[in-house]
Amino acid sequence: MANINTAGVDPTKMGVGWAIAVLTSGGDAQGMNAAVRATVRVGLYTGAKVFFVHEGYQGLVDGGNHIRPATWESVSMMLQLGGTVIGSARCRDFQTREGRLKAAYNLVKLGVTNLCVIGGDGSLTGANIFRTEWSDLLKDLISKGKIINEEAKASSHLNIVGMVGSIDNDFCGTDMTIGTDSALHRIIEVVDSITTTAQRSQIYYNVCVSVCFSYLALVTALACGADWVFIPEMPPDDGWEDHLCRRLTETRNAGSRLNVIIVAEGAINKDGKPITCDQLKDLVTKRLGFDTRATILGHVQRGGTPSAFDRVLGSRMGVEAVMALLEATPETPACVVSLSGNQAVRLPLMECVQVTKDVTVAMNEGRFDDAIKLRGRSFENNWNTYKLLAHVRPPETKSNINVAILNVGAPCAGMNAAVRAAVRIGLIQGHNMLAIHDGFEGLAEEKIEPITWNTVGDWTGKGGSELGTKRVLPGKYMEEISLNIAKYNIHALVIIGGFEAFSGALEMVQGRGKYEELCVPMVIIPATVSNNVPGSDFSIGADTALNTITTTCDRIKQSAAGTKRRVFIIETMGGYCGYLATMAGLSAGADAAYIYEEKFGIRDLERNVEHLIEKMKTTVKRGLILRNENCNFNYTTDFIFNLYSEEGKGVFDCRKNVLGHMQQGGTPTPFDRNFATKMGAKAVLWLTEKLKECYRHGRIFANTPDSACVLGMRKRGLVLQPLAELKEQTDFEHRIPKNQWWLKLRPIMKILAKYKISLDTSEHALMERRLSILSITRKLHVFFF
């Protein structure tokens, strides 16, 4: 994330004398509006002039009314809108030098020397060509008498920064492109709807996902537990038709009423011949006699409201893009703002474009393994996880290892997906898998039973906890737990849950000195809406809760569109952790978000009221305030509501809403399904290796610190950290980690709400370079989806 307050420069003066133009180009994608909004507001915050370019490059060429000044109010209420409100068009004129000459003239006349382009690799490549030709274009304009020398001198250099807006997520160098997560939401909504229908009938369904590239198809296959996915990067082996029909028959005979096949647009066989939904429908119908349906999704994937993830991503990218422009020099190469893990990074634009093109070259040359690797490690991990879960079956010979799984703490969306992945990967490893119902209490009370492959078949999309979960810690049941671990010969534990899972596992480790039966490997998978488990930047369930809050805030804000002059105070969950309130503040466009981690007093509340009173004088006559449930013992939701109501009397009125347990319910989002699937798989694979290390003298004995770990996501990858190390990094009184990465995003939320504060963060997104093109993707495409 950018550090605006550098070298003693006043951040609100950094952009004075500068002009920035923002455009969206190519196919539209949900979340583009968030990026436009952030670019405009941060640009204005720095003192720069900002211009909208309507209708993409066509507007840049046509000029006139297509390039208009942007104001703070002009980007209000954009966050929840799909597509791009400033329009996007594919422009043939800009592909010609004459067209680019017109575009240069229009920018010079407005004094614009900074261009922010939101689009795919074609749009970004066009921007770089424009930048490369800039000096020659100015010379031509002078020679033709279009501009004078003084104008050319004032516009001697054009700075370019790109943000990738594309639902395909096919741009190498970034973990996620703007719009991908929202497209996955649309796809999963359709697949879930088909699943509901199929489970109540004897119709056999084949779902065809029509996308330009295969990321959406692959992640959808993981998120819905598809039986097969066809992608162009990896054609199926010869004889795949027989293999597919055999697989479908097996699952049908096992009692499944639904089989899902996902087909990416452009899927081919080894001979390069297309594989389509209609072909698969005919194959299954003729060979197996199953009543089959094909569903081609088409442009529905581009539509709808952007997800919370895409709104936050677009906002972060917009902030970083403005900083990249203002910090650029004539020697700085054109860059693209990218996401790596949870970090914003800047990468050389054309290097990333080249890698993206290399994928297509590898596919055309039949180098499909190279194509998968060039897509990046994240894509490769997705592919390998899919193959394990969909194409490998449990071996006939068992390992005699018993792995038990339990859920602990409050339920959340995604828990079941983690259990499903853990169970199936365990069975593939040859282990016997045991389900423990009702958490540690169930372990003490012998609520233990075997769990099979088919039992968890449809668990990926189910909310809540099918195993049952309780907040009870193991301390008072330690003797019963140790006896049952011995009785059921449990060799390893997968504990899925929130802070109670973390605390309970610590108690189990501490009990090893007294109860030798507890000396088995343990892995904790963070799963809680609060996102407060030490050792992981993200927890399963938090994304689903965040989307629930964001959607609710959208509806609440919309209700004020007619009444005007209304402020809503919304209470979110999270315990003492302000993650949900902060991220919902970013995704819903809140005016303030009160959290425990950032202390506030009556003066701060007064300033917020004054801010809203000023806001009501503009065309934006509504306000949104979020409050984390435990942010302050005295400044309760009722207190803040009463204070705002009294101080705003005559200017605005107030409403309050406590969202409550609706944040824990619902079906998991694509992110939570995929995240949980990867976490469940990784956890059991790690346990399998750890069991080999801990096998001594004919039995399992694990008492080293690294035999009990939290599996979490840290910045750019999945890591396992011993509980003993994380104990020192934990505030047990308030049940939160001592350091939380998302706190660095809070200044962005405040600036986008028009507060005059300094955006000064500790991490600076310098231009990152790699020695080779391939290493860019291998190092940066780690794990996100």
Side-chain angles (χ1 to χ4, degrees):
M1 183 53 58
N3 182 347
I4 297 180
N5 194 14
T6 57
V9 178
D10 181 352
T12 62
K13 299 292 191 294
M14 274 187 70
V16 173
W18 294 68
I20 300 169
V22 57
L23 65 85
T24 53
S25 176
D28 64 316
Q30 309 97 317
M32 280 183 165
N33 289 325
V36 171
R37 173 180 178 266
T39 302
V40 168
R41 290 194 167 179
V42 175
L44 295 174
Y45 161 84
T46 64
K49 292 181 181 178
V50 184
F51 292 88
F52 290 133
V53 180
H54 291 266
E55 310 308 330
Y57 284 120
Q58 191 63 57
L60 203 62
V61 173
D62 294 343
N65 200 40
H66 286 93
I67 307 177
R68 308 173 203 165
T71 65
W72 197 276
E73 290 78 19
S74 64
V75 293
S76 180
M77 292 299 285
M78 286 176 61
L79 276 171
Q80 70 272 30
L81 300 178
T84 165
V85 299
I86 60 175
S88 178
R90 303 187 188 277
C91 177
R92 291 185 180 276
D93 291 341
F94 193 76
Q95 296 174 16
T96 68
R97 196 173 192 284
E98 185 61 31
R100 293 192 291 275
L101 191 66
K102 293 178 181 178
Y105 170 78
N106 292 327
L107 291 183
V108 170
K109 286 298 182 181
L110 291 170
V112 175
T113 56
N114 297 277
L115 185 61
C116 179
V117 178
I118 308 168
D121 61 326
S123 301
L124 301 182
T125 300
N128 189 67
I129 293 172
F130 191 39
R131 175 183 179 274
T132 304
E133 293 180 344
W134 184 256
S135 295
D136 291 336
L137 293 173
L138 294 185
K139 291 175 183 176
D140 285 359
L141 290 172
I142 292 172
S143 66
K144 292 181 179 182
K146 296 281 188 178
I147 63 173
I148 60 177
N149 287 325
E150 286 73 14
E151 289 176 312
K153 187 176 180 180
S155 304
S156 60
H157 179 72
L158 179 67
N159 295 320
I160 294 287
V161 67
M163 289 181 271
V164 190
S166 168
I167 67 169
D168 299 329
N169 201 36
D170 61 343
F171 190 85
C172 295
T174 185
D175 288 341
M176 288 289 283
T177 58
I178 297 168
T180 302
D181 187 59
S182 300
L184 285 167
H185 275 251
R186 301 295 92 75
I187 297 168
I188 293 300
E189 286 167 7
V190 173
V191 174
D192 283 351
S193 298
I194 292 173
T195 300
T196 303
T197 300
Q199 287 172 344
R200 287 159 179 78
S201 69
Q202 290 299 318
I203 296 175
Y204 188 87
Y205 276 92
N206 166 23
V207 182
C208 180
V209 181
S210 178
V211 293
C212 294
F213 286 90
S214 45
Y215 182 86
L216 294 179
L218 182 53
V219 174
T220 298
L222 283 173
C224 71
D227 296 273
W228 205 293
V229 63
F230 293 92
I231 60 173
E233 287 87 347
M234 189 55 71
D237 294 329
D238 293 335
W240 63 268
E241 297 93 339
D242 295 333
H243 189 184
L244 173 64
C245 290
R246 186 167 59 251
R247 168 74 51 73
L248 301 182
T249 301
E250 288 173 358
T251 55
R252 190 78 160 181
N253 291 339
S256 174
R257 291 188 176 186
L258 172 69
N259 290 94
V260 179
I261 303 169
I262 307 295
V263 184
E265 189 177 283
I268 55 174
N269 63 18
K270 289 286 188 182
D271 298 324
K273 296 179 180 179
I275 297 175
T276 67
C277 282
D278 287 338
Q279 290 173 356
L280 292 168
K281 176 183 176 182
D282 292 341
L283 172 69
V284 174
T285 302
K286 289 176 181 178
R287 287 205 186 184
L288 303 178
F290 294 162
D291 189 5
T292 306
R293 298 288 187 270
T295 302
I296 300 176
L297 302 186
H299 279 75
V300 69
Q301 297 160 91
R302 291 191 184 277
T305 300
S307 66
F309 181 93
D310 274 329
R311 300 186 200 192
V312 174
L313 177 62
S315 298
R316 293 182 67 185
M317 297 301 98
V319 173
E320 195 61 54
V322 172
M323 293 305 104
L325 288 172
L326 297 185
E327 294 169 3
T329 67
E331 291 73 37
T332 305
C335 77
V336 60
V337 177
S338 301
L339 182 75
S340 180
N342 63 17
Q343 293 181 305
V345 297
R346 302 175 195 170
L347 297 173
L349 172 59
M350 293 315 296
E351 289 186 24
C352 294
V353 169
Q354 185 58 52
V355 181
T356 304
K357 292 179 178 178
D358 287 347
V359 176
T360 304
V361 172
M363 290 165 56
N364 291 338
E365 295 176 352
R367 295 184 289 109
F368 297 110
D369 287 335
D370 288 344
I372 291 285
K373 286 182 170 61
L374 282 165
R375 283 280 183 228
R377 204 168 77 188
S378 176
F379 190 97
E380 189 176 8
N381 287 343
N382 279 326
W383 175 249
N384 291 333
T385 303
Y386 155 74
K387 286 195 299 181
L388 266 180
L389 291 171
H391 288 262
V392 181
R393 284 296 180 263
E396 295 294 331
T397 305
K398 295 291 184 180
S399 67
N400 294 321
I401 292 293
N402 298 322
V403 178
I405 304 175
L406 65 159
N407 293 340
V408 178
C412 68
M415 275 185 163
N416 295 320
V419 172
R420 176 184 181 273
V423 167
R424 290 198 165 182
I425 293 295
L427 293 172
I428 288 168
Q429 297 298 310
H431 306 326
N432 300 302
M433 303 303 293
L434 301 174
I436 300 173
H437 298 274
D438 298 335
F440 289 118
E441 185 179 289
L443 180 55
E445 296 176 355
E446 289 193 65
K447 295 180 180 179
I448 305 169
E449 63 179 3
I451 188 165
T452 66
W453 185 279
N454 291 331
T455 301
V456 297
D458 62 348
W459 282 22
T460 304
K462 288 186 176 182
S465 168
E466 292 291 301
L467 293 183
T469 180
K470 290 189 176 182
R471 296 179 182 271
V472 177
L473 295 179
K476 62 180 180 180
Y477 296 112
M478 207 63 79
E479 186 170 346
E480 293 89 342
I481 286 173
S482 63
L483 289 172
N484 286 331
I485 287 176
K487 180 178 179 179
Y488 287 87
N489 201 22
I490 294 172
H491 300 108
L493 285 169
V494 178
I495 305 171
I496 304 170
F499 201 86
E500 291 86 357
F502 176 76
S503 300
L506 273 173
E507 290 184 4
M508 297 273 281
V509 170
Q510 290 165 0
R512 284 174 170 177
K514 184 176 181 181
Y515 302 100
E516 192 174 289
E517 295 83 359
L518 302 180
C519 293
V520 296
M522 307 175 197
V523 61
I524 294 86
I525 299 177
T528 168
V529 302
S530 301
N531 196 35
N532 64 335
V533 178
S536 187
D537 293 340
F538 295 98
S539 294
I540 296 166
D543 185 69
T544 304
L546 178 58
N547 276 277
T548 299
I549 298 168
T550 301
T551 301
T552 305
C553 288
D554 286 348
R555 293 174 179 175
I556 288 172
K557 286 172 68 177
Q558 189 178 46
S559 72
T563 56
K564 312 288 187 185
R565 299 183 180 278
R566 181 161 288 174
V567 174
F568 295 93
I569 291 114
I570 312 295
E571 181 181 295
T572 67
M573 296 179 78
Y576 285 95
C577 180
Y579 175 83
L580 286 179
T582 296
M583 302 306 276
L586 266 172
S587 62
D591 294 282
Y594 301 122
I595 63 171
Y596 167 79
E597 293 91 342
E598 189 174 280
K599 304 303 180 186
F600 62 96
I602 194 65
R603 296 287 175 266
D604 300 295
L605 294 173
E606 288 177 352
R607 279 192 289 271
N608 293 150
V609 172
E610 292 166 0
H611 173 80
L612 285 168
I613 289 173
E614 289 300 311
K615 185 179 181 180
M616 295 300 162
K617 297 176 183 178
T618 70
T619 57
V620 186
K621 301 184 185 300
R622 59 193 162 271
L624 179 67
I625 305 295
L626 297 176
R627 178 189 177 273
N628 166 252
E629 60 184 347
N630 287 342
C631 66
N632 191 287
F633 180 78
N634 294 307
Y635 298 135
T636 63
T637 301
D638 287 337
F639 177 92
I640 293 174
F641 169 75
N642 291 331
L643 175 68
Y644 273 66
S645 297
E646 180 63 29
E647 297 300 318
K649 190 178 293 183
V651 179
F652 59 79
D653 61 2
C654 293
R655 298 289 186 274
K656 64 179 176 180
N657 195 314
V658 178
L659 301 186
H661 283 77
M662 67 182 293
Q663 297 160 84
Q664 290 181 334
T667 58
T669 59
F671 178 90
D672 276 331
R673 298 184 196 197
N674 190 264
F675 188 32
T677 298
K678 286 189 173 181
M679 294 281 271
K682 176 77 172 178
V684 174
L685 291 173
W686 177 79
L687 282 176
T688 301
E689 293 303 312
K690 186 58 63 175
L691 284 164
K692 294 176 184 177
E693 295 177 17
C694 300
Y695 186 78
R696 301 189 190 113
H697 309 297
R699 69 189 188 100
I700 303 296
F701 186 80
N703 66 347
T704 58
D706 65 351
S707 65
C709 291
V710 171
L711 173 61
M713 181 182 174
R714 286 292 203 188
K715 293 185 178 179
R716 296 184 176 183
L718 287 178
V719 295
L720 286 135
Q721 293 175 267
L723 288 168
E725 291 180 9
L726 294 172
K727 185 177 179 181
E728 303 304 316
Q729 303 170 26
T730 305
D731 176 354
F732 283 94
E733 180 183 357
H734 299 102
R735 297 160 53 92
I736 55 175
K738 291 179 180 178
N739 296 303
Q740 301 181 86
W741 69 272
W742 51 266
L743 287 170
K744 295 172 183 176
L745 303 184
R746 285 187 60 80
I748 296 176
M749 180 191 69
K750 294 177 182 179
I751 286 173
L752 294 178
K754 210 175 183 179
Y755 284 92
K756 295 180 180 179
I757 66 163
S758 174
L759 178 52
D760 185 7
T761 58
S762 60
E763 293 182 12
H764 191 72
L766 297 174
M767 180 82 77
E768 295 201 7
R769 297 178 181 275
R770 297 292 181 263
L771 295 177
S772 70
I773 292 296
L774 182 55
S775 67
I776 292 179
T777 56
R778 284 180 174 167
K779 290 185 179 181
L780 293 181
H781 265 78
V782 284
F783 171 86
F784 209 78
F785 252 105

